[in-house]
Amino acid sequence: MADARVHKGVIPAAGLGTRLLPATKVVPKELLPLIDVPVIQLAVDEARASGIDDLIVVTSRGKEILADHFDRQPELEAHLRERGKLEQLAAVGDVGAGVRFHYTRQPEPRGLGHAVLQAAAHVGHEPFAVLLPDDVMLGPRPVLAQLLDHWRPGFAVVAVMRVAREEAGRYGIVAGDVAPGSRAFRVEHIVEKPAPADVPPVAWAVMGRYVLDADVFDILETLPPGAGGEIQLTDALAELARAGRLVAVAYEGERYDMGDKLGYVKAIITHGLERPDFRDRLAAYLRSLADAGRF
Ligand code: G1P
């Protein structure tokens, strides 16, 4: 009998981060920070705040350092304690606290669906969440918690945001629409990275948060390569949509694409403006730049 509560999560983190080279030559893109918080940690914090206490991170060769980040560092902690640096000690101690971490590898880059499939043995027969750390979600409420509000056993839920037709080719695009006063809707169909001509002027695009039932693994196992020659999670979702089992949630919040240089800078600034310890000084600096005619 499947657990009716979602407490497991999968974080695909096997990508090479080629769009942010040379920064990602040695450092995994998931460890690039918004000020002092690695983006993967933001995804972990979101998962934790949404009730997830067990995460499996799907990595690839050369990304072992991701596991180090979520491990304890007794020497560092002792050093900070001895010097009375209690704020830093608390920050270090909080990294991943309350979550059990597991790691597995995707042996070759064969797509998001294939990456998620690597977590099948660990997830077993339970429903689970998927969080793509490249999609940085900022805002007052954890996006995954918003998805879980609309999740029921047997259904899959995806986070969606409106995008212009010209951008649709970068995303999974869903057909269906919200009723007035509602944020969730049944997805009629879903396509990975469609051609602009096949998309309405404004479309609903999937952003990297999902709640899935374990039977998605059975679908993923049988899928042929899809868009870009990769095993696409979207193609598995298309099968669920055909069975009337896919729900989209137009979440509240902002999403920034870490894979994109400008998206990364925007995320840093917005995150800085959301932080009480940083906000005033950053805002004053941005104003001074504008006043000085620097942009
Ligand atoms: C993946 C998914 C896509 C989704 C996107 C969100 O694409 O395949 O459906 O819209 O994440 O960021 P990728 O960014 O890996 O190309």
Side-chain angles (χ1 to χ4, degrees):
M1 176 72 189
D3 189 348
R5 193 178 72 86
V6 179
H7 79 106
K8 283 185 177 171
V10 177
I11 299 191
L16 292 176
T18 45
R19 286 186 293 170
L20 290 170
L21 281 168
T24 49
K25 187 178 166 201
V26 175
V27 178
K29 63 175 171 173
E30 294 81 8
L31 285 182
L32 297 182
L34 299 192
I35 306 179
D36 49 7
V37 186
V39 291
I40 190 170
Q41 194 178 316
L42 291 174
V44 167
D45 289 349
E46 180 187 329
R48 186 170 61 175
S50 309
I52 304 293
D53 59 14
D54 181 295
L55 282 170
I56 182 160
V57 185
V58 183
T59 69
S60 56
R61 273 186 306 285
K63 297 185 104 174
E64 297 74 21
I65 196 176
L66 285 174
D68 293 340
H69 181 73
F70 290 106
D71 201 358
R72 294 295 296 270
Q73 258 263 40
E75 279 176 27
L76 174 64
E77 289 174 31
H79 174 92
L80 294 171
R81 196 172 297 113
E82 275 161 27
R83 281 159 185 75
K85 300 195 170 186
L86 299 183
E87 211 175 298
Q88 289 92 331
L89 180 65
V92 169
D94 185 55
V95 177
V99 175
R100 286 173 67 88
F101 284 89
H102 311 266
Y103 298 87
T104 190
R105 292 248 195 128
Q106 184 186 23
E108 337 161 64
R110 292 183 54 202
L112 178 60
H114 183 257
V116 170
L117 191 51
Q118 307 310 305
H122 178 74
V123 169
H125 297 290
E126 296 184 39
F128 64 103
V130 176
L131 301 99
L132 308 188
D134 271 11
D135 285 338
V136 173
M137 301 293 194
L138 301 176
R141 265 205 82 205
V143 173
L144 181 59
Q146 296 181 44
L147 261 55
L148 287 166
D149 285 347
H150 294 276
W151 175 80
R152 299 287 172 276
F155 285 83
V157 185
V158 293
V160 294
M161 188 181 92
R162 283 193 189 279
V163 299
R165 175 187 275 154
E166 306 76 62
E167 291 171 46
R170 288 162 43 194
Y171 301 105
I173 299 293
V174 309
D177 212 347
V178 276
S182 164
R183 288 202 162 266
F185 60 94
R186 193 70 67 89
V187 173
E188 288 151 25
H189 54 90
I190 176 168
V191 186
E192 182 69 6
K193 303 194 168 73
D198 300 335
V199 177
V202 177
W204 289 108
V206 175
M207 299 297 151
R209 300 294 184 270
Y210 309 78
V211 182
L212 304 171
D213 224 44
D215 68 354
V216 77
F217 294 125
D218 302 332
I219 305 174
L220 283 170
E221 255 167 18
T222 62
L223 279 183
E230 298 187 330
I231 308 288
Q232 296 290 354
L233 184 58
T234 297
D235 293 345
L237 298 178
E239 204 156 303
L240 296 176
R242 276 194 288 277
R245 293 175 54 205
L246 184 62
V247 171
V249 173
Y251 62 93
E252 276 180 281
E254 291 164 0
R255 171 263 187 189
Y256 297 88
D257 180 7
M258 261 301 289
D260 172 70
K261 294 180 184 71
L262 184 60
Y264 181 31
V265 174
K266 286 180 183 172
I268 293 172
I269 294 172
T270 310
H271 171 72
L273 290 172
E274 280 185 354
R275 274 178 48 166
D277 62 334
F278 222 78
R279 199 204 128 71
D280 294 347
R281 285 173 295 157
L282 178 59
Y285 176 63
L286 293 174
R287 258 185 234 114
S288 76
L289 288 182
D291 292 346
R294 295 279 289 272
F295 58 86

